[in-house]
Amino acid sequence: MPSTQDEWKAVARQFGSRWNFHHCRGAIDGKHVAVKKPKKSGSLYYNYKVFFYVVLLALVDANYSLYNVWANGSSLDAGVFNRSTLRAALEDNTIGFSEPDPLPGDDRDFPYFIIGDDAFPLRNWLMKLYSRRSMTL
C-alpha cells in the first residue's frame, strides 16, 4: 500500500489515465466469503443468508492491487470498515493523502478521495454513488 504523498499521487494518476477518474486514490468494497464453521465459534461467523463466512474488505488501486481487512461473519461491510485501521488512517490523514489541488483543466482545488458503494459513509475522502433508495423509475 502506498505510504507517501508521491506514491498516492502516482495512484491518482493511474486512475486518471486508465479510468478517466481523476483524484481517485482507490475503490473499496466488501465480499462475503463462505467458510466452514470454525470450531467453537458459535454463531460468530454465521449470517442471515444461512451460511458461515468472513468478510474480505478490499481497497484496490487502478491496477487492482489491494489492501485487505478481515472480520468475522456477523459483520457488514461498513461495520468492518468502521473498526479498521484503514478508516482511522483516512480520518486523521495518516494514510498520506496530499492536500487538495486542481483537477485537470481547472484552477480550483479538489480533494483526493476513495470511492465506495452505498454501504459506506459519504465523507470528504470517500465518494459514493447517489443512492437509489428513494428513487422511482
Side-chain angles (χ1 to χ4, degrees), residues 23 26 35 37 49 64:
H23 278 231
V35 297
K37 180 185 181 297
K49 294 181 181 179
Y64 310 113

Side-chain angles (χ1 to χ4, degrees), residues 13-129:
R13 280 193 299 276
Q14 290 173 345
F15 268 101
S17 64
R18 185 168 189 167
W19 304 109
N20 198 28
F21 203 179
H22 302 281
H23 278 231
C24 185
R25 298 284 172 97
I28 190 167
D29 200 7
K31 176 69 177 165
H32 295 204
V33 180
V35 297
K36 286 185 174 182
K37 180 185 181 297
K39 291 180 181 182
K40 300 181 182 180
S41 65
S43 62
L44 189 60
Y45 293 86
Y46 193 71
N47 75 0
Y48 65 93
K49 294 181 181 179
V50 193
F51 63 91
F52 292 89
Y53 73 105
V54 293
V55 175
L56 167 63
L57 187 68
L59 176 67
V60 299
D61 67 13
N63 297 313
Y64 310 113
S65 298
L66 57 101
Y67 170 73
N68 304 333
V69 180
W70 289 90
N72 66 37
S74 61
S75 298
L76 300 174
D77 297 356
V80 175
F81 178 65
N82 286 337
R83 291 186 307 274
S84 71
T85 56
L86 174 60
R87 180 171 188 239
L90 287 161
E91 286 280 350
D92 62 17
N93 199 27
T94 55
I95 198 164
F97 284 5
S98 53
E99 292 297 314
D101 58 16
L103 290 164
D106 201 351
D107 61 353
R108 294 170 291 176
D109 286 346
F110 194 83
Y112 289 90
F113 56 88
I114 63 174
I115 55 174
D117 64 16
D118 208 27
F120 299 96
L122 181 62
R123 298 287 185 263
N124 289 342
W125 42 263
L126 198 152
M127 303 285 280
K128 63 185 205 173
L129 295 173

